[in-house]
């Protein structure tokens, strides 16, 4: 299923900046960055649960927020992109 993950991390302190880097790295390992704090991740149920647990263990529940939007398996009709966005298919191989 395609999951859109967004986050806002308080970076007023050095620990906040560290949390931001760790959250971004965890999301980069599982998906594609589409905006600064927004990732599209194609995950199965187990991968989603693992990533969610990892992100929740990093964040500070009193200072940060993370949102998960579940777009499902028929996500092609639910996503529109305009402007300076690279088109990609999460199901195709990603060449780095």
């Amino acid at each position: 299923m395609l999951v859109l993950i967004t986050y806002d991390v308080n970076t007023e302190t050095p620990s906040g900046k560290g949390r931001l880097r760790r959250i971004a790295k965890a999301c980069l390992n599982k998906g594609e960055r589409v905006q600064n704090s927004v990732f599209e991740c194609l995950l199965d149920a187990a991968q989603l649960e693992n990533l969610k647990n990892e992100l929740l263990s990093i964040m500070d529940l009193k200072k940060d927020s993370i949102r998960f939007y579940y777009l499902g398996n028929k996500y092609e009709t639910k996503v529109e992109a305009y402007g300076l966005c690279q088109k990609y298919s999460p199901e195709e191989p990603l060449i780095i």
Side-chain angles (χ1 to χ4, degrees):
M1 93 176 72
L2 184 67
V3 179
L4 187 72
I5 300 173
T6 67
Y7 55 86
D8 187 21
V9 177
N10 182 312
T11 57
E12 294 175 349
T13 64
S15 64
K17 292 175 184 175
R19 289 193 312 275
L20 177 64
R21 283 190 301 276
R22 291 194 318 271
I23 288 172
K25 185 177 180 181
C27 289
L28 274 171
N29 288 336
K30 296 294 183 186
E32 178 77 18
R33 184 189 298 258
V34 293
Q35 291 188 352
N36 286 337
S37 297
V38 181
F39 287 81
E40 291 179 357
C41 303
L42 192 60
L43 306 167
D44 63 30
Q47 291 170 323
L48 174 60
E49 195 62 30
N50 288 338
L51 179 58
K52 189 187 298 186
N53 289 335
E54 181 179 1
L55 295 175
L56 293 176
S57 72
I58 296 170
M59 73 176 290
D60 182 330
L61 292 172
K62 295 180 181 178
K63 296 180 182 179
D64 309 328
S65 68
I66 297 178
R67 298 176 73 113
F68 298 85
Y69 296 90
Y70 305 101
L71 301 179
N73 292 323
K74 297 182 189 243
Y75 57 86
E76 293 90 353
T77 60
K78 298 177 184 174
V79 178
E80 292 183 14
Y82 303 94
L84 294 175
C85 51
Q86 293 182 333
K87 306 280 190 224
Y88 82 101
S89 172
E91 294 178 359
E92 292 179 5
L94 181 62
I95 300 172
I96 299 176

